[in-house]
Amino acid sequence: MSELAISPVDLEALEARLQQDLSWLELPAKSWVPSREADGQSVVDVVVIGGGMAGLVASGMLKRLGVANHLVLDKAPVGQEGPWVTFARMRTLRSPKQLTGPAMGLPALTFRAYYEARFGRDAWIVLDRAPRETWMDYLIWYRKVLELPVRNGISVDVIRPREDGMLDLICSQDGRSEKIVARHVVLATGRDGLGGPFVPEFARSIDRKYWAHTADAIDFAGLRGKRVGVIGAGASAMDNAASALEAGAARLDMFVRRNKLPAINKFTGIGSQGVVHGFAGLPDEWKWRFLNYAMGQQTPPPRPSVLRVSSFEQAHLHLESPITGLKQDGEQVIAITPRDSYPVDFLIFGTGFKIDLANRPELAAFEPHIRLWRDRFPTPAGMANGELEGSPDLGDAFEFLEREEGVCPTLSKIHCFNFPATLSHGKLTGDIPAISEGADRLARGIVRSLFVEDREKHFANLQAFDTPELLGDEWADDDTEALSEPASKRT
């Protein structure tokens, strides 16, 4: 928790205001999805895998639209979901503090409202960006006040299609196995949700104890007095370099392929509601054109992150220095570049993530059937891009599509609400700015699917509904009254 003083009275007042807002808006909507049973157990309408920011706002939107029978599963302990207090090593979030993020259009649910309730308006005014630990506190509070159905410490090991069109989830928790039957599954699994951390093949040539990826748990205290190399110059690479230096690394060498650090965040420059809601409507060639260009320009590390590293005299930046090979020499590693060779005691790979469905055993039954962009869309001339080519080709509700229609129809019940959805939908799934809009699109698509699939039950309910609005005593028929009178009085 933050060292700043907490004001529980103000936080209680904010929670009361939020509940009043929800009441005025008649939220959440009443539960409306007919219940089902399969294999002698209740069916869960939607299982969201991942209890980080994306999973929580997906859950919030489903609950808001009356899909009460859903679960959020996360393998991490309570309070450690997502990257914020695990492998995220920046001091503050990279996004501006005022972005409303997962608030779903509710002012009392915003980070600003939470921060001011805890620390006061003056503290908000002087705040630059949200400390990542405080952001994690906010997400924990968000989950609590919305009463979201999150289960921690549970891993989804296998997802299997069923003959009845639903899904079996084989889960494990504390050495015990459990099967959950679900109608829809949402993969809110972050940057590595369809693959994992990427490291170049030459990393395999040295002992694993001498290197780590930025997404790994790293013993920074153990790097005190040692020479550390960092490959890459993105935000995570900078944050890990700074963590090593602050832990007392004797020397830090950062190896960068480019001849200068990227300086302009292109997508931030065109950020608008037009991009949020319009990107998915672009022709395929324009989606590719936008993302291929932005990826080619690269996203710069935040200025504070760079200054955090460059303030150390023992930090050295090597531009135009891609690693061409590694050689283990006793207890040290020699990093070889076109310019020189550098001895280091430990290497950190800031080389991002890679889409690799073969690396997701829980999706093994579906992997051969998932349609990727390269299966359908010819790569434009001069715009080859392995990451885009391997991105999943998704439907309107982030659902997977089949490579061959009709072979695996259950695939459409799995929704890819994580970073690899970007080419199909834009940046709605992995970052703070438009996460609520992404969750709204996801939840509405699932609601549509559930209602259409249950149309016979809803029609039967329509026919069976017999609560009268009128009781028959409100107004009498004049002609009926007249006919009941004697003929002599009707003349």
Side-chain angles (χ1 to χ4, degrees), residues 10 45 126 135 175 183 210 226 244 286 293 331-333 338 364 378 384 400 421 433 436 476:
D10 289 344
D45 291 325
V126 300
W135 179 259
R183 297 180 65 181
Y210 295 115
K226 294 190 175 181
W286 275 99
Y293 174 77
E331 294 296 308
Q332 67 179 5
V333 173
F400 287 126
S436 284

Side-chain angles (χ1 to χ4, degrees), residues 11 19 38 49 67 95 117 126 140 157 160 210 215 260 316 340 342 345 367 415 455-456:
L11 205 54
Q19 293 307 317
I49 302 176
V67 185
S95 301
V126 300
I140 295 170
D157 304 318
R160 292 195 300 246
Y210 295 115
K260 61 180 180 180
H316 303 274
D340 207 343
Y342 302 85
D345 300 305
E367 186 273 333
H415 305 260
R455 57 191 176 275
E456 292 185 2

Side-chain angles (χ1 to χ4, degrees), residues 193-444:
L194 294 186
F198 169 73
V199 293
E201 192 58 36
F202 58 68
R204 316 297 177 188
S205 65
I206 61 173
D207 194 307
R208 187 65 173 84
K209 70 179 180 179
Y210 295 115
W211 66 269
H213 188 274
T214 54
D216 292 332
I218 299 176
D219 177 17
F220 285 99
L223 300 180
R224 182 176 182 82
K226 294 190 175 181
R227 301 163 298 179
V228 178
V230 175
I231 300 175
S236 292
M238 287 291 176
D239 295 333
N240 278 262
S243 297
L245 290 163
E246 290 162 0
R251 178 184 172 98
L252 189 288
D253 291 287
M254 178 168 280
F255 305 105
V256 185
R257 290 177 298 173
R258 291 175 172 250
N259 58 9
K260 61 180 180 180
L261 297 179
I264 300 171
N265 190 334
K266 292 286 189 175
F267 250 110
T268 296
I270 66 164
S272 70
Q273 288 300 299
V275 174
V276 169
H277 297 288
F279 186 91
L282 289 172
D284 290 341
E285 58 271 20
W286 275 99
K287 290 180 180 180
W288 194 284
R289 189 173 181 181
F290 268 97
L291 287 185
N292 182 67
Y293 174 77
M295 291 168 66
Q297 298 299 304
Q298 291 196 322
T299 301
R303 175 177 165 81
S305 295
V306 180
L307 293 174
R308 185 180 167 197
V309 177
S310 65
S311 64
F312 287 85
E313 291 184 356
Q314 66 268 41
H316 303 274
L317 177 64
H318 306 287
L319 298 172
E320 296 183 293
S321 298
I323 300 294
T324 57
L326 298 174
K327 183 171 65 174
Q328 195 162 324
D329 182 14
E331 294 296 308
Q332 67 179 5
V333 173
I334 308 300
I336 304 167
T337 77
R339 291 187 165 188
D340 207 343
S341 297
Y342 302 85
V344 298
D345 300 305
F346 194 78
L347 267 176
I348 300 175
F349 287 86
T351 44
F353 298 87
K354 181 181 180 181
I355 298 173
D356 182 5
L357 288 166
N359 198 39
R360 307 305 306 193
E362 69 274 23
L363 295 175
F366 296 95
E367 186 273 333
H369 309 293
I370 294 174
R371 191 167 84 192
L372 307 178
W373 270 70
R374 65 169 170 255
D375 297 322
R376 180 185 61 80
F377 180 74
T379 300
M383 297 187 197
N385 187 311
E387 182 173 345
L388 297 183
E389 291 162 18
S391 293
D393 187 21
L394 303 176
D396 292 340
F398 300 90
E399 74 273 21
F400 287 126
L401 301 175
E402 299 170 276
R403 283 181 180 166
E404 184 179 346
E405 189 173 352
V407 174
C408 186
T410 315
L411 192 57
S412 65
K413 304 297 181 67
I414 304 178
H415 305 260
C416 178
F417 194 60
N418 50 32
F419 190 78
T422 303
L423 181 54
S424 293
H425 284 270
K427 298 182 72 174
L428 303 186
T429 56
D431 294 324
I432 291 170
I435 193 71
S436 284
E437 289 78 6
D440 183 65
R441 187 179 299 176
L442 167 77
R444 289 179 187 275

Side-chain angles (χ1 to χ4, degrees), residues 34-38 41-43 45 164 166 183 453-454 457:
S35 60
R36 289 192 180 199
E37 285 194 357
Q41 66 182 81
S42 297
V43 172
D45 291 325
D164 56 14
M166 296 189 289
R183 297 180 65 181
E453 189 174 335
D454 288 336
K457 291 184 179 179

